[in-house]
């Protein structure tokens, strides 16, 4: 995979030389290039921003500078093509614009982006990038994702780009040494948070590791971990429990969730309008 990151602070992205992403770059698993947006300016002051039309505080990043940068980088791989019906093979560069006004970047979005051959991340500063930039590349046939890393406002898109490159990069084949460690993680296919983890020593500050983990009994350990994941998710992220697919829950899971105040409703019975409602989890009123 190739990822281009465009920013006015290339040094901010130096952290991508470290750890697993740095190793993946050196191993040729990830072709990551960081560019200074000012390389595409044409004036003596290397200006990338101007005052907002309509007035108001702050500055806005100019579309012409971004356009020159993105035209150069986005077309370095294949030209964009709108996939034919039923063809979900990604082609052309996918433009990712970090913005607090975007859709929330989730593990699902990371998984989708990890299937792309070429991502270009456009890091905004000031009040953000002129809105015509995203519109222009979308109408030219590129996939364009405006994504937020959470409901708070940062000074620039660089930290968001670090988050996205790391979340996507670790999903590429060969980047994480033991691919099994990706399977049971929080926000994985099970839709749960991960169970608590422990290591040596077995006793620390008068706290013992749960006995079951020392038992060597794999089935019991697996069940305990699943129960812990359900309990943790119910306590910390009830929105994730509400989004669980009841089809993926066995009888024991349903009993654990019932003990935590959640029950499966709908599915078997017909809805009030005569239609079959789909099964879902609902919190039982206390
Ligand atoms: N005026 C913008 C708004 O209210 O939506 C905020 C601009 S912010 C100060 C400057 C840049 O930081 C944005 O263009 C974006 O690149 C980045 N940024 C800030 N918060 C972010 C977030 N939660 N997720 C992703 N990018 C963010």
């Amino acid at each position: 995979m190739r990822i281009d990151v465009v920013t006015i602070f290339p040094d901010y992205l130096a952290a991508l030389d470290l750890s697993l992403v740095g190793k993946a770059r050196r191993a040729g698993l990830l072709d990551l290039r960081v560019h200074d947006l000012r390389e595409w300016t044409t004036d003596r002051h290397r200006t990338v921003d101007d005052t907002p039309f309509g007035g108001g505080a702050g500055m806005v990043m100019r579309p012409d500078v971004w356009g020159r940068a993105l035209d150069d980088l986005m077309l370095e791989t294949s030209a964009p093509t709108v996939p034919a019906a039923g063809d979900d093979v990604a082609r052309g560069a996918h433009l990712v614009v970090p913005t607090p006004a975007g859709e929330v970047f989730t593990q699902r979005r990371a998984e989708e982006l990890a299937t792309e051959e070429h991502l270009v991340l456009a890091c905004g500063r000031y009040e953000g990038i002129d809105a015509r930039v995203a519109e222009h590349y979308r109408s030219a046939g590129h996939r364009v994702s405006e994504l937020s890393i959470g409901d708070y406002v940062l000074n620039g898109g660089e930290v968001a780009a670090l988050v996205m490159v790391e979340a996507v990069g670790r999903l590429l084949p060969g980047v994480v040494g033991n691919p099994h460690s990706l399977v049971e993680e929080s926000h994985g296919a099970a839709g749960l948070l991960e169970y608590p983890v422990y290591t040596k020593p077995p006793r620390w500050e008068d706290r013992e590791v749960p006995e079951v983990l020392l038992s060597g009994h794999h089935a019991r350990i697996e069940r305990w971990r699943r129960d812990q994941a359900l309990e943790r998710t119910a306590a910390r992220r009830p929105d994730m429990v509400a989004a669980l697919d009841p089809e993926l829950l066995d009888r024991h899971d349903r009993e654990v969730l019932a003990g935590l105040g959640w029950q499966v409703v709908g599915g078997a019975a017909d809805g009030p309008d005569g239609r079959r409602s789909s099964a879902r989890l609902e919190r039982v009123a206390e």
Side-chain angles (χ1 to χ4, degrees):
M1 171 186 257
R2 171 167 165 185
I3 303 181
D4 290 275
V5 182
V6 189
T7 165
I8 58 169
F9 293 116
D11 292 349
Y12 226 117
L13 284 304
L16 295 175
D17 275 336
L18 305 174
S19 185
L20 291 180
V21 173
K23 216 167 136 192
R25 292 175 81 176
R26 289 185 289 279
L29 299 172
L30 176 61
D31 177 6
L32 178 68
R33 308 176 190 193
V34 179
H35 311 269
D36 185 347
L37 177 67
R38 293 191 200 276
E39 296 298 319
W40 284 276
T41 55
T42 51
D43 66 318
R44 204 156 59 86
H45 301 291
R46 310 183 87 204
T47 310
V48 294
D49 59 329
D50 214 320
T51 52
F53 280 124
M59 301 293 272
V60 175
M61 297 191 102
R62 293 177 59 108
D64 50 348
V65 182
W66 273 108
R68 284 192 290 275
L70 296 176
D71 279 353
D72 278 358
L73 298 172
M74 306 261 306
L75 299 177
E76 272 184 23
T77 46
S78 49
T81 51
V82 179
D87 175 8
D88 57 2
V89 177
R91 291 194 195 90
H94 186 143
L95 176 61
V96 177
V97 184
T99 163
E103 277 173 50
V104 177
F105 177 68
T106 59
Q107 188 66 20
R108 294 293 86 71
R109 291 309 298 256
E111 286 162 5
E112 282 164 29
L113 294 178
T115 66
E116 297 283 10
E117 58 174 335
H118 186 192
L119 300 177
V120 178
L121 274 70
C123 301
R125 279 268 153 183
Y126 319 117
E127 294 307 318
I129 301 174
D130 186 302
R132 290 169 291 180
V133 173
E135 286 165 21
H136 168 74
Y137 288 96
R138 203 172 272 131
S139 63
H142 287 281
R143 266 102 3 105
V144 177
S145 299
E146 294 175 86
L147 298 175
S148 165
I149 59 162
D151 293 344
Y152 40 79
V153 179
L154 306 164
N155 289 331
E158 292 74 16
V159 169
L162 288 170
V163 167
M164 292 176 192
V165 170
E166 180 146 329
V168 170
R170 68 195 297 278
L171 297 177
L172 301 178
V175 173
V176 171
N178 179 357
H180 192 72
S181 61
L182 298 176
V183 176
E184 287 190 349
E185 284 184 324
S186 299
H187 308 292
L192 298 172
L193 301 178
E194 196 184 53
Y195 46 80
V197 293
Y198 302 86
T199 185
K200 297 180 189 70
R203 184 182 175 84
W204 174 77
E205 297 283 349
D206 283 342
R207 289 170 191 281
E208 308 277 357
V209 167
E211 176 275 328
V212 62
L213 298 179
L214 309 175
S215 69
H217 192 299
H218 295 300
R220 273 183 62 212
I221 292 172
E222 205 180 311
R223 187 65 252 176
W224 181 87
R225 286 179 163 165
R226 174 90 180 163
D227 293 353
Q228 290 287 314
L230 290 165
E231 282 178 31
R232 237 188 189 188
T233 311
R236 298 178 182 183
R237 293 291 302 272
D239 59 308
M240 288 173 64
V241 177
L244 284 175
D245 178 358
E247 295 279 319
L248 302 178
L249 301 173
D250 65 19
R251 198 163 54 81
H252 186 102
D253 293 334
R254 290 172 188 233
E255 282 167 14
V256 172
L257 286 168
L260 298 167
W262 289 86
Q263 69 178 20
V264 177
V265 297
D270 285 344
D273 55 0
R275 279 185 304 168
R276 201 179 162 89
S277 63
S278 55
R280 64 196 181 282
L281 278 144
E282 260 183 19
R283 206 201 283 265
V284 188
E286 296 193 3

